Amino acid sequence: SQKDRVVAEEEWLRKWETGSIWFHKERGHPLLQKYLDVLLNGRSGLRIFFPLCGKAVEMKWLADMGHSVVGVEVSEKALKEFFAEHSLPFCEEPVPEISGAKKLQTTSGNIALYCCSIYDLSSSIVGKFDGVWDRGALVAVNPCDRQRYVSLMITLMEKNSSYLLVTVSYDPNKHKGPPFYVPESEIKSLFGNHCEIKCLQKVNDFSDKHRQWGLDYFLEVLYILKFV
């Protein structure tokens, strides 16, 4: 069953090394474009966190709008491709608190990407955030680590922050994941004591790839979590 499935870090690194990154969206995610105002809530100059960021193009969009973006990702290849594909000059430096970690930052300082395990981060290292775009992160962490992941994310949130969360819905008996199926009831038990949760939209995202996995439906489900 999915709850016992464990994907090792090496498996994610291998996906980046071999280019089997079907989860990366070259043009960015339409749900973030559609609901960006809900995330920003009329505010400018926010600090926005991208957990398990890969080389998400939305990091550049938000930085170009004047926000400060922080991401974390285990694959250095993914992060270097992000800077290369957007022709962004960057510098890298070690992170003293985390053995072996690197911080890759644009020379303008508005995008800082940490190359390490997300579980090595803390608010004392990265600060706190006004917004989160979590697409492909909660659904990628091992089910046994879900509580640990959410507990960390909650410590990184400012009061009155907004968290856009994308999960996926399909028959979990037909595909072992990732991405993993996270039902709404679990979102409520994980986050419910800390924020208001509202489902904004469910989108049919079924493709040939999902058919190859043996699925007959695949939905993306978008939530807004408001930390009040």
Side-chain angles (χ1 to χ4, degrees):
S1 74
Q2 283 200 355
K3 74 178 190 323
D4 303 317
R5 170 112 160 96
V6 173
V7 183
E9 202 170 274
E10 293 70 37
E11 204 171 318
W12 288 109
L13 292 172
R14 198 158 52 245
K15 287 181 197 296
W16 283 101
E17 289 304 326
T18 58
S20 52
I21 50 166
W22 48 263
F23 44 82
H24 175 67
K25 286 200 185 300
E26 294 286 341
R27 290 198 194 80
H29 203 294
L31 285 174
L32 183 58
Q33 290 170 310
K34 181 173 178 181
Y35 290 98
L36 183 59
D37 292 348
V38 177
L39 179 64
L40 301 180
N41 199 14
R43 301 167 299 164
S44 57
L46 301 189
R47 296 192 80 233
I48 299 176
F49 186 45
F50 280 68
L52 315 193
C53 60
K55 55 175 182 176
V57 299
E58 298 91 340
M59 297 192 288
K60 173 92 169 33
W61 298 351
L62 285 158
D64 287 347
M65 291 173 203
H67 304 290
S68 171
V69 171
V70 174
V72 61
E73 167 61 52
V74 292
S75 168
E76 188 173 346
K77 184 173 192 281
L79 299 181
K80 290 194 164 163
E81 284 179 9
F82 169 78
F83 291 109
E85 287 168 14
H86 297 285
S87 306
L88 290 168
F90 71 97
C91 47
E92 58 181 84
E93 57 189 63
V95 182
E97 304 92 333
I98 308 171
S99 171
K102 289 180 181 175
K103 177 164 92 166
L104 285 63
Q105 186 160 346
T106 49
T107 45
S108 58
N110 58 352
I111 302 176
L113 306 181
Y114 288 79
C115 186
C116 61
S117 162
I118 189 169
Y119 303 115
D120 289 331
L121 294 184
S122 64
S123 59
S124 63
I125 298 171
V126 292
K128 294 198 172 195
F129 298 99
D130 309 298
V132 170
W133 170 242
D134 181 331
R135 182 259 161 182
L138 178 66
V139 297
V141 301
N142 292 322
C144 60
D145 292 328
R146 221 170 259 164
Q147 183 62 63
R148 181 186 182 196
Y149 171 82
V150 169
S151 299
L152 169 66
M153 294 300 288
I154 288 164
T155 67
L156 298 179
M157 304 306 294
E158 290 279 16
K159 287 191 177 71
N160 300 317
S161 57
S162 305
Y163 187 131
L164 276 184
L165 170 66
V166 182
T167 64
V168 292
S169 179
Y170 61 84
D171 182 346
N173 298 310
K174 294 185 173 180
H175 177 60
K176 62 184 182 181
F180 298 106
Y181 169 59
V182 187
E184 186 161 347
S185 57
E186 191 162 353
I187 304 292
K188 288 179 171 161
S189 67
L190 288 165
F191 287 101
N193 291 336
H194 302 275
C195 52
E196 296 171 355
I197 301 167
K198 182 179 170 194
C199 180
L200 293 175
Q201 193 173 354
K202 296 183 180 181
V203 181
N204 174 22
D205 195 39
F206 189 69
S207 68
D208 286 343
K209 174 181 80 262
H210 302 124
R211 190 175 286 111
Q212 286 160 14
W213 291 355
L215 300 178
D216 35 32
Y217 71 96
F218 189 93
L219 303 174
E220 283 195 315
V221 187
L222 179 70
Y223 298 91
I224 180 76
L225 283 49
K226 286 198 175 286
F227 286 76
V228 285

